[in-house]
Amino acid sequence: MAADYDLLIIGGGINGTGIARDAVGRGASVLLVEMGDLAGATSSASTKLIHGGLRYLEYYEFGLVRKALKEREVLWRAAPHIAWPLRFILPHHKDLRPAWLLRLGLFMYDHLGGRELLPATKTVRLDQPPFSQGLKKLFKKGFEYSDCWVDDARLVVLNARDAADRGAEIQTRTKCISARRDGDVWQVVLKDLASGEEKTVTANVLVNAAGPWVADMLSGVTGANNSSSVRLVKGSHIIVKRQFEHDRCFIFQNGDGRIVFAIPYENDFTLIGTTDVDFQDDLSKVEISKDEIAYLCKAASEYLENAITPEEVVHTYSGVRPLYDDGAKDAKAATRDYVLELDAGDAKPAILSVFGGKITTYRKLAEHVLEKLEPYLPFKRGVWTAYAPLPGGDFKVSEFDAEVSRLEADYPFLDKVFATRLTRLYGTDARFILGEAKTLEDLGRCFGYNLHEAEVKWLVRREWARSAQDILWRRTKLGLRLSGEEAAELDTYLSAYLAEQAGAAA
């Protein structure tokens, strides 16, 4: 029987949306379902870096590091609005890794991947400006190297946007209740969690990209017998007021062998993370613990001039990484590489499950998924995503400031802060949000800071936003700016607007 879709993807995180984008661009018909919001779990809780993973060299994961390093500039070119280069300062701590080992690791880091635009590593003095600002005076020497930053949740949404623009169906707040093989197709029961309605669709191939729920999806939903297991590891971050004025990031070594980043965040804050804690609790309630807050405060305070206390934390977030269980004793040593498992024997319809993975390597993961699924899907073209910009990213990496200036020139009522924020989030798509506006009042009601009705409506219509949480913490980071009362007013507005939209569509 002919299936409704060539490919049905379960999971709206970075892996699921990346696979959807790649597959539809090759000519497959695609449906992606996500039981919550896009990037609603792990994919919005990363350290937000496009990086090779310097510390993974200590675990001899050279293949993973090389693969990730080669992706840094590919992703930067594809999304120069939401991704940009950062310089990291690694202070030399005389009681931890020796300087020669750090230099060797960074030499490999510079030369393992295809670095063309990012500057190389250099030795820096930490007892002189600008790097001395923010650090304890006992650190004299450090190493400065390159990686990139990305807005992780927006990376997910833009992959979904591009997939939808190319013909994929993206259904959020939609849960996969069951999936059973029926001849040469999958019979999949889906439930709209907003309306409670259920429907059955068919697909030739299933991709299980459910992140922390990948094993549950295999056993509980598809009924498959699977011997592989996922190791759930929680990573948590804290956000404090900005600790240093320069634009460098710090990477701190700790006595337990882990590293902690301190990164300039959203102009006025510093992001500190992450932890590695095995997790066996309720996946719907992932929160930072008091011990994790204390750990991050202590780790940063070993280096920073001003000690960080738990009372100074203005926000926290946590996510659970669905790592492939490779038997490593410590969570910090568990592999961050992905494992793809394909079940397609005896002429039965295929299911592919994704274990592990990193934000940095999501695009390569998608290519490898589709390489494995090539015998089962009607592709019309080959590899393509390395050369195609994501929505809003159709300008050169060197032109971000010029793009902000062009937006200011075309919309003189925007100040620099507002124009920069819009360009950082939406790139050239900012013009679709602003439209024919001549004044701030033309953008409609302001919900706080510089979030206006025109932007909110865009996020609902084009980016699947349904709640203040979606908008304030995933589509933007304005949750750091708006009060609880303003967030509640935004939710009230959204409820009315969504009801109005539903009525108009009926």
Side-chain angles (χ1 to χ4, degrees):
M1 60 182 289
D4 298 321
Y5 302 95
D6 296 321
L7 182 63
L8 193 155
I9 300 165
I10 302 166
I14 190 58
N15 291 334
T17 56
I19 295 164
R21 178 192 184 221
D22 198 342
V24 73
R26 300 188 195 209
S29 58
V30 175
L31 169 63
L32 180 146
V33 296
E34 160 58 46
M35 66 178 178
D37 182 31
L38 296 172
T42 307
S43 291
S44 59
S46 75
T47 313
K48 311 185 193 310
L49 300 179
I50 306 173
H51 66 143
L54 183 60
R55 72 184 181 91
Y56 304 147
L57 292 174
E58 290 189 308
Y59 300 104
Y60 307 108
E61 295 221 39
F62 301 118
L64 170 62
V65 174
R66 177 178 173 79
K67 183 165 50 183
L69 288 172
K70 292 175 74 172
E71 282 296 289
R72 293 179 303 179
E73 294 186 11
V74 173
L75 298 184
W76 179 22
R77 286 187 174 102
H81 46 330
I82 63 166
W84 59 92
L86 289 178
R87 293 290 276 174
F88 287 78
I89 304 293
L90 173 58
H92 174 234
H93 193 306
K94 62 183 179 63
D95 296 325
L96 297 177
R97 298 169 179 86
W100 68 264
L101 182 61
L102 297 178
R103 279 195 295 265
L104 176 61
L106 287 165
F107 176 83
M108 295 177 65
Y109 206 71
D110 272 351
H111 293 88
L112 270 175
R115 182 177 55 83
E116 297 178 8
L117 301 175
L118 296 172
T121 298
K122 66 179 181 180
T123 302
V124 294
R125 293 280 300 272
L126 298 182
D127 55 354
Q128 297 178 357
F131 310 127
S132 57
Q133 198 263 322
L135 276 185
K136 288 181 177 177
K137 298 299 183 280
L138 61 92
F139 297 103
K140 307 297 184 185
K141 181 172 72 173
F143 305 95
E144 185 182 50
Y145 70 95
S146 294
D147 266 324
C148 290
W149 169 271
V150 70
D151 187 326
D152 52 6
R154 289 214 58 75
L155 185 65
V156 174
V157 169
L158 294 184
N159 272 272
R161 277 270 322 278
D162 201 43
D165 289 347
R166 296 173 188 274
E169 291 184 38
I170 310 292
Q171 297 181 11
T172 62
R173 271 79 175 185
T174 301
K175 188 171 184 178
C176 180
I177 302 298
S178 70
R180 294 292 182 266
R181 288 180 167 106
D182 181 8
D184 59 355
V185 300
W186 286 94
Q187 294 274 353
V188 184
V189 179
L190 304 174
K191 182 175 183 178
D192 184 323
L193 296 181
S195 68
E197 294 180 4
E198 292 187 5
K199 66 178 180 180
T200 300
V201 300
T202 57
N204 291 322
V205 177
L206 279 189
V207 167
N208 174 12
W213 293 270
V214 60
D216 294 344
M217 191 61 58
L218 273 174
S219 58
V221 176
T222 69
N225 294 319
N226 181 61
S227 58
S228 296
S229 59
V230 63
R231 181 171 187 170
L232 300 179
V233 175
K234 182 174 66 165
S236 297
H237 297 76
I238 60 174
I239 298 171
V240 297
K241 293 295 183 183
R242 186 154 189 165
Q243 299 297 302
F244 39 90
E245 292 305 315
H246 56 75
D247 62 356
R248 268 45 168 202
C249 312
F250 289 117
I251 173 172
F252 299 142
Q253 305 173 77
N254 294 299
D256 61 2
R258 295 207 70 259
I259 55 96
V260 166
F261 293 100
I263 305 172
Y265 188 65
E266 294 294 311
N267 297 318
D268 301 318
F269 304 91
T270 297
L271 174 67
I272 299 172
T274 181
T275 58
D276 272 318
V277 181
D278 281 310
F279 185 84
Q280 280 118 19
D281 298 326
D282 186 349
L283 283 167
S284 67
K285 299 176 182 178
V286 181
E287 298 175 345
I288 195 170
S289 67
K290 290 183 179 179
D291 286 346
E292 286 178 292
I293 293 175
Y295 172 87
L296 292 173
C297 288
K298 181 181 178 182
S301 297
E302 287 286 321
Y303 291 83
L304 293 177
E305 191 170 21
N306 298 317
I308 304 292
T309 66
E311 291 73 31
E312 294 175 75
V313 174
V314 299
H315 184 66
T316 69
Y317 65 86
S318 302
V320 174
R321 309 179 191 102
L323 306 180
Y324 186 79
D325 192 354
D326 60 356
K329 181 180 178 181
D330 296 325
K332 68 184 180 185
T335 182
R336 264 54 175 177
D337 209 351
Y338 55 80
V339 174
L340 309 177
E341 292 204 339
L342 176 64
D343 176 8
D346 303 321
K348 58 189 178 185
I351 178 171
L352 185 144
S353 296
V354 178
F355 294 84
K358 288 162 49 72
I359 286 271
T360 306
T361 52
Y362 87 91
R363 197 195 61 80
K364 292 300 293 183
L365 181 150
E367 288 184 348
H368 290 156
V369 165
L370 296 177
E371 182 181 327
K372 280 182 170 286
L373 294 179
E374 195 168 349
Y376 314 103
L377 292 173
F379 292 146
K380 299 173 185 175
R381 59 188 292 187
V383 173
W384 65 278
T385 57
Y387 313 103
L390 286 162
D394 50 338
F395 58 92
K396 294 179 180 179
V397 295
S398 60
E399 292 183 352
F400 178 82
D401 290 339
E403 187 62 32
V404 173
S405 296
R406 284 192 288 268
L407 195 68
E408 287 183 286
D410 291 345
Y411 296 90
F413 59 86
L414 297 177
D415 61 26
K416 176 69 76 175
V417 170
F418 196 1
T420 301
R421 185 180 76 79
L422 289 176
T423 306
R424 269 289 173 230
L425 293 178
Y426 309 105
T428 56
D429 278 355
R431 296 168 184 281
F432 294 121
I433 296 172
L434 297 170
E436 301 298 320
K438 304 297 183 190
T439 65
L440 278 177
E441 288 70 28
D442 291 339
L443 299 179
R445 175 180 174 183
C446 181
F447 295 95
Y449 198 60
N450 52 30
L451 178 66
H452 290 260
E453 198 170 353
E455 184 177 354
V456 170
K457 287 182 175 180
W458 167 270
L459 293 173
V460 171
R461 292 194 305 262
R462 300 287 283 127
E463 296 197 2
W464 300 276
R466 294 294 179 269
S467 71
Q469 185 86 3
D470 297 350
I471 290 174
L472 297 181
W473 294 109
R474 287 183 285 276
R475 306 307 184 278
T476 75
K477 298 297 180 289
L478 292 176
L480 291 167
R481 310 285 185 183
L482 270 66
S483 67
E485 182 179 343
E486 288 170 326
E489 290 177 359
L490 175 59
D491 257 331
T492 300
Y493 170 85
L494 284 167
S495 296
Y497 180 63
L498 288 167
E500 175 188 318
Q501 295 293 104

